[in-house]
Amino acid sequence: MMDEPWWEGRVASDVHCTLREKELKLPTFRAHSPLLKSRRFFVDILTLLSSHCQLCPAARHLAVYLLDHFMDRYNISTSKQLYTVAVSCLLLASKFEDREDHVPKLEQINSTRILSSQNFTLTKKELLGTELLLLEAFSWNLCLPTPAHFLDYYLLASVSQKDHHCHTWPTTCPRKTKECLKEYAHYFLEVTLQDHVFYKFQPSVVAAACVGASRICLQLSPYWTRDLQRISSYSLEHLSTCIEILLVPLFR
């Protein structure tokens, strides 16, 4: 039972409500960092490192959240400092969200081509000091909901037997359709890391929009079902702006 994902457990609805309450208390992202132009580069580094270390999506998204909000509130003057903060964010997030055996080791990080190609290495003292700085900056609270924390819960209701394809015939295999939709949704989830514009929306809205955009791409009708509205408490109108931003790159 301890290994059961929360979204499949008996208290899933309660956990979802708690996450929705917590997201209302998240600080506003102001996009004030003078190094904001370097954001995409460091997000890519965190994404590559998390893939290399096989971290879960929640750890990756929390790491980017910590990096963005620390940059937004504190002056980081050099790329060296930003490298250190970025890697420390990933380590903290992995300790909080992932299995213990998935938490990257210092040697593992320093040996990756991602960092060695930049002639950059970290010491244990630098990491520990920066982790402490981050914890103090976030008041030792890392329970910060991201879209990745909501997506799997919404995916439970993402496909039903009543779905139609191209507004004409029913989907022949809901299981395969759901697998395909899950791939689309996780693709859109990673897209949200690339642009800080998604901080304009609550994380639960972004997660629901990832599901909505996926149903649109698969041409499932209706685009948003009663089950999805029930589980998320969002109508398609609530999600339309975020869905449009997600779909723009696909239709350029």
Side-chain angles (χ1 to χ4, degrees):
M1 290 296 293
M2 293 296 292
D3 293 330
E4 182 182 59
W6 71 263
W7 54 88
E8 294 178 359
R10 289 178 295 178
V11 296
S13 179
D14 294 332
V15 174
H16 176 248
C17 287
T18 300
L19 290 171
R20 291 288 291 266
E21 290 173 4
K22 287 183 176 295
E23 74 176 352
L24 296 176
K25 301 175 183 177
L26 293 174
T28 301
F29 183 74
R30 303 169 300 170
H32 282 180
S33 172
L35 292 176
L36 194 62
K37 62 182 181 297
S38 302
R39 177 190 182 273
R40 180 71 175 268
F41 174 74
F42 284 93
V43 167
D44 287 345
I45 284 180
L46 288 181
T47 300
L48 290 169
L49 278 174
S50 65
S51 296
H52 178 75
C53 299
Q54 298 182 316
L55 299 181
C56 65
R60 178 164 56 257
H61 281 255
L62 178 58
V64 173
Y65 178 93
L66 294 175
L67 175 64
D68 279 334
H69 283 264
F70 188 82
M71 286 173 60
D72 205 37
R73 291 155 57 182
Y74 297 92
N75 182 32
I76 305 176
S77 57
T78 68
S79 293
K80 163 76 172 178
Q81 290 176 329
L82 196 51
Y83 269 111
T84 307
V85 169
V87 173
S88 298
C89 286
L90 186 67
L91 287 173
L92 275 182
S94 65
K95 291 173 184 176
F96 190 76
E97 292 288 353
D98 219 321
R99 289 167 25 193
E100 184 177 353
D101 59 332
H102 279 189
V103 177
K105 301 292 189 292
L106 177 60
E107 298 78 13
Q108 184 181 5
I109 291 175
N110 281 334
S111 64
T112 60
R113 292 174 57 188
I114 303 164
L115 295 188
S116 60
S117 64
Q118 303 292 323
N119 294 319
F120 176 76
T121 56
L122 277 166
T123 66
K124 187 174 183 179
K125 183 178 180 180
E126 286 174 324
L127 278 179
L128 291 175
T130 308
E131 284 185 1
L132 181 59
L133 180 64
L134 286 164
L135 287 169
E136 290 175 344
F138 289 95
S139 302
W140 293 78
N141 174 31
L142 297 185
C143 189
L144 303 164
T146 71
H149 291 90
F150 292 95
L151 184 63
D152 287 303
Y153 182 61
Y154 296 157
L155 282 172
L156 292 176
S158 59
V159 174
S160 77
Q161 296 281 354
K162 298 178 181 179
D163 285 340
H164 282 67
H165 184 268
C166 295
H167 306 279
T168 52
W169 64 87
T171 53
T172 55
C173 183
R175 181 183 60 81
K176 289 184 178 179
T177 301
K178 193 167 187 176
E179 289 175 358
C180 188
L181 190 143
K182 183 178 179 180
E183 290 185 13
Y184 264 102
H186 278 277
Y187 160 76
F188 284 121
L189 184 68
E190 297 312 301
V191 167
T192 66
L193 290 178
Q194 300 301 318
D195 196 328
H196 59 78
V197 69
F198 290 99
Y199 284 124
K200 294 189 338 185
F201 309 100
Q202 291 178 357
S204 58
V205 169
V206 176
C210 288
V211 176
S214 301
R215 287 183 61 87
I216 291 171
C217 287
L218 291 176
Q219 296 184 293
L220 297 179
S221 177
Y223 289 149
W224 197 248
T225 66
R226 290 182 180 178
D227 284 343
L228 281 166
Q229 183 160 334
R230 174 187 54 78
I231 199 172
S232 69
S233 301
Y234 291 125
S235 67
L236 188 59
E237 289 71 27
H238 281 115
L239 310 174
S240 58
T241 302
C242 190
I243 288 175
E244 287 175 10
I245 297 173
L246 285 169
L247 291 176
V248 162
L250 297 182
F251 296 102
R252 281 177 180 166

